[in-house]
Amino acid sequence: AISAVVAVGSVGDELVAKIRERAEKIKIGPGDDPASEMGPLITAVHRDKVASYVKGAADQGCEVVLDGTGYTVEGYEDGHWIGLSLLDRVPVTADAYKDEIFGPVLCVLRVDTYEEGVALINASPFGNGTAIFTRDGGAARRFQLEIEAGMVGVNVPIPVPVGYHSFGGWKDSLFGDHHIYGNDGTHFYTRGKVVTTRWPDPSEAPAGVDLGFPRNH
């Protein structure tokens, strides 16, 4: 999806270096190899589309830290391979940030303060999920309340809840009136019934049938 990291303050350089170090160690290979951590993309057309975001990134103001285009696996040259790509200092105008790529491309955006980070996320037309990584409980609490996304995580890489909670995004990340599962899924597949009842006190009810409203006391 629209995979983006918002680095706040001076942590950016160290964070990008750590991500690059980890990304370069990812084992890419066929899905039937237990050692593989990431396989090929589903079609050559999609592989080329994902690659186009990386190849055009520098011209749109991004710093290309890792370029995974042109990657191949020995013995499986006909596979739809692409390596991991890491883009730093990505402007919000770049296609790699604006579009949902659905490929191994990570964008890093830089902001100076927490407030700028929240404003950046809330300005996006998408609102599927987001997470904050912090050891500050106050910042985590603020993030939960202030962020405009359907799924919010605190120190978790993927903020998708377990199945009995409603899952889904806000804004352009939601289609229809209901989320996918949880309580919304139950509502989608059921038909509601409302029953309104009144049971007058037999000792106070007049003889015969009384269809009037209860008397005030």
Side-chain angles (χ1 to χ4, degrees):
I2 185 165
S3 301
V5 171
V6 181
V8 181
S10 60
V11 74
D13 291 344
E14 182 181 0
L15 181 63
V16 169
K18 290 288 187 181
I19 294 174
R20 176 174 186 168
E21 179 183 351
R22 178 69 181 93
E24 290 178 329
K25 296 177 181 178
I26 296 292
K27 172 67 175 176
I28 302 174
D32 58 359
D33 183 352
S36 297
E37 296 177 275
M38 190 180 84
L41 297 186
I42 191 168
T43 64
V45 171
H46 186 59
R47 185 265 319 279
D48 294 344
K49 180 180 179 182
V50 172
S52 70
Y53 289 99
V54 181
K55 293 177 179 177
D59 291 338
Q60 296 183 354
C62 307
E63 179 183 329
V64 181
V65 179
L66 276 180
D67 184 344
T69 61
Y71 189 91
T72 189
V73 175
E74 185 178 356
Y76 299 90
E77 287 80 7
D78 292 335
H80 311 312
W81 304 105
I82 189 169
L84 287 84
S85 294
L86 176 60
L87 309 179
D88 191 14
R89 304 185 185 277
V90 177
V92 295
T93 54
D95 291 337
Y97 174 73
K98 294 190 299 181
D99 296 347
E100 292 183 305
I101 299 176
F102 289 101
V105 180
L106 184 65
C107 298
V108 178
L109 296 87
R110 305 288 191 107
V111 295
D112 292 328
T113 65
Y114 164 88
E115 289 77 13
E116 290 180 29
V118 169
L120 186 151
I121 296 171
N122 288 347
S124 171
F126 299 107
N128 191 33
T130 185
I132 184 172
F133 292 85
T134 180
R135 294 188 179 183
D136 186 331
R141 179 62 174 166
R142 284 188 62 186
F143 191 77
Q144 295 174 50
L145 297 174
E146 295 172 351
I147 211 65
E148 297 174 6
M151 298 178 293
V152 179
V154 177
N155 296 325
V156 294
I158 304 176
V160 178
V162 290
Y164 44 81
H165 291 299
S166 293
F167 161 92
W170 288 7
K171 299 185 281 188
D172 287 353
S173 293
L174 176 66
F175 180 77
D177 298 326
H178 297 282
H179 294 300
I180 296 177
Y181 49 55
N183 293 335
D184 281 2
T186 302
H187 295 160
F188 184 82
Y189 287 105
T190 57
R191 182 171 58 178
K193 177 185 287 185
V194 177
V195 179
T196 303
T197 64
R198 178 171 75 91
W199 294 96
D201 189 330
S203 65
E204 298 181 0
V209 178
D210 179 13
L211 299 180
F213 287 100
R215 291 181 292 275
N216 295 326
H217 294 282

